[in-house]
Amino acid sequence: ASVSVLPAGLVSNYAAGVFTISGTPSVAGTFNFTVTTSGGCGPAASLNGNIQVQSLAVGGTVSDTSGLNPTTVCYSSPNGTLNLNGQSGAVLNWERSTDGGITWSTIPGSAGLTTYNYSGLTITTIFRAVVQNGALCPTVRSSSVLVNVIPNIKPSPVFAAPATICNGGSSV
């Protein structure tokens, strides 16, 4: 048996009545092939098929609309927009970490978004996207962006003793 038009990196083998295509493809795309048998007792026979090789995903780059990484927001207005650019594949979801990237949690409702609007941050948070091209290909992560949150600092009351002094005097 022989085969025509396999993508680069794949090979075919016929043994004990079983035709096998194996290997690691190095080119993405859809490839139509024909398997043709010869010899034996009957006439030559052909069978057509196709192989779809999906390219690996590219995570892309996340940036804040300010263009800064890290970026800073105030505790009183902890909102902003993140953009994912240069990715290849579908955005499965966005993730966030509040412990410096040690653990990550999925952000609900973020599937398919290339722009993510965050709000209500109370502590510094790192964001990234998870991308996949096809159900069988591995997932990859985008770059991450750090959003610093300036905490709500309430100073303690300050008292001078004595409360009244003369010009040129000091309060100790």
Side-chain angles (χ1 to χ4, degrees):
S2 63
V3 68
S4 64
V5 195
L6 286 178
L10 293 183
V11 295
S12 63
N13 183 45
Y14 181 77
V18 177
F19 188 82
T20 305
I21 297 173
S22 62
T24 303
S26 59
V27 177
T30 300
F31 300 88
N32 297 311
F33 64 89
T34 302
V35 176
T36 305
T37 61
S38 59
C41 297
S46 295
L47 180 63
N48 297 319
N50 68 52
I51 295 175
Q52 184 178 32
V53 179
Q54 295 178 326
S55 59
L56 294 174
V58 175
T61 303
V62 175
S63 61
D64 185 84
T65 54
S66 69
L68 302 174
N69 187 8
T71 189
T72 301
V73 295
C74 292
Y75 184 87
S76 60
S77 180
N79 309 320
T81 300
L82 304 175
N83 295 309
L84 176 62
N85 293 299
Q87 82 283 359
S88 172
V91 177
L92 297 182
N93 56 269
W94 286 72
E95 295 178 326
R96 69 177 151 231
S97 174
T98 56
D99 60 7
I102 296 170
T103 59
W104 293 87
S105 60
T106 298
I107 300 172
S110 63
L113 301 177
T114 56
T115 298
Y116 176 69
N117 296 309
Y118 61 87
S119 62
L121 296 184
T122 57
I123 59 174
T124 295
T125 305
I126 304 171
F127 293 93
R128 69 183 181 188
V130 180
V131 179
Q132 185 178 35
N133 193 22
L136 300 176
C137 295
T139 59
V140 295
R141 272 38 181 201
S142 68
S143 66
S144 59
V145 67
L146 175 70
V147 179
N148 288 312
V149 177
I150 298 173
N152 187 17
I153 300 173
K154 295 181 181 177
S156 301
V158 177
F159 299 99
T164 305
I165 57 172
C166 294
N167 188 8
S170 68
S171 173
V172 183

